[in-house]
Amino acid sequence: MSYTKFSKEVTKWLKANGLSCYGTAYDSPEETKARMDAWMRGSKEVLHQWITEKRYRELISCAHGGWYQDSVIFEPLAVYFVGNHLFDELRFLCERGIRFSVEDMLSTIKSEKEEHGALDIKTIRNIDVPSYVAGRSYSHSGEIAKYRKRALDQIIRYTGYLELIQAPAEYLEQVTVLQKSVSDLTIKTKDLKPFRFRLAAET
């Protein structure tokens, strides 16, 4: 697993630089923070090293794994792909998360329709997602709103990258249509078909 390899490389870097990589239950808050800061520094160093070595697939796998916040691997990697005009790698990095968020939304929409026979789109669009997530109550409508917001945030971020990389107009239009259909809650599973890109197998 790429994440395991990445973590081992970070640990190796920390040890080589005399930095703590293991904590104990007796660590003070200051010691814990110092260790976490060191781990973040090591993560950035290994990220830079792997980018230099063009280990793109492994880095994309780490980003997809969800072990790190997007600011640690996903976003720096996307910025690098944009800056080096690596459009295929950018697609492979970004499409997966969008697709998963939309699929989660569609699955919950299906459950809502099975239970209530219809979808109250106006109510869903008016839900305050941060308040819903912070609360303890569960509802299909709240979950749909949550996945909708997540997908829209991901699509909007992706659109920004696509504009910077000057992606083909036809593809950019497909992403724009996807954003509208997610926003309107008119999205269908078949609409995700253009967003299943994978990098060609290495030879």
Side-chain angles (χ1 to χ4, degrees):
M1 179 183 264
S2 298
Y3 168 73
T4 302
K5 292 180 185 176
F6 189 86
S7 295
K8 286 181 178 179
E9 288 296 314
V10 175
T11 300
K12 183 179 176 182
W13 184 89
L14 290 170
K15 289 180 178 178
N17 286 274
L19 296 170
S20 174
C21 51
Y22 301 111
T24 72
Y26 305 102
D27 288 350
S28 68
E30 292 77 18
E31 289 172 324
T32 300
K33 183 180 185 305
R35 188 180 74 256
M36 295 303 295
D37 288 346
W39 183 269
M40 291 300 293
R41 184 179 161 202
S43 297
K44 290 178 181 178
E45 292 289 339
V46 174
L47 171 68
H48 177 73
Q49 180 184 333
W50 281 25
I51 286 177
T52 301
E53 296 169 358
K54 300 189 176 188
R55 296 170 69 172
Y56 303 147
R57 287 175 178 273
E58 289 174 283
L59 285 170
I60 290 170
S61 176
C62 288
H64 286 171
W67 295 98
Y68 285 93
Q69 291 182 347
D70 282 358
S71 60
V72 179
I73 294 180
F74 181 98
E75 290 171 0
L77 196 56
V79 169
Y80 175 82
F81 289 158
V82 168
N84 290 273
H85 209 77
L86 297 170
F87 177 54
D88 286 352
E89 284 79 2
L90 182 68
R91 284 190 66 181
F92 189 40
L93 174 67
C94 296
E95 286 185 354
R96 181 179 182 271
I98 294 169
R99 192 174 68 250
F100 279 19
S101 293
V102 174
E103 287 173 347
D104 285 339
M105 186 181 76
L106 287 170
S107 175
T108 314
I109 285 173
K110 181 180 178 184
S111 298
E112 172 69 3
K113 287 182 175 178
E114 287 174 349
E115 186 171 326
H116 295 106
L119 195 66
D120 189 343
I121 294 176
K122 184 177 179 180
T123 295
I124 291 169
R125 296 184 71 173
N126 288 331
I127 289 174
D128 184 329
V129 174
S131 296
Y132 169 75
V133 172
R136 295 186 176 182
S137 62
Y138 175 92
S139 71
H140 285 147
S141 294
E143 292 298 297
I144 294 167
K146 180 181 73 176
Y147 293 131
R148 173 180 174 271
K149 183 181 185 305
R150 182 188 299 169
L152 288 174
D153 288 346
Q154 291 169 323
I155 293 169
I156 290 167
R157 176 177 62 180
Y158 186 33
T159 299
Y161 294 144
L162 293 174
E163 290 172 348
L164 288 172
I165 207 172
Q166 297 181 325
E170 181 182 355
Y171 181 75
L172 194 52
E173 176 62 20
Q174 288 178 323
V175 175
T176 300
V177 170
L178 178 70
Q179 181 179 338
K180 185 177 186 308
S181 64
V182 170
S183 179
D184 295 343
L185 292 169
T186 57
I187 182 81
K188 307 294 183 187
T189 301
K190 63 182 178 62
D191 298 330
L192 293 171
K193 209 170 181 182
F195 305 101
R196 298 186 178 278
F197 179 81
R198 295 186 65 83
L199 290 172
E202 294 177 333
T203 57

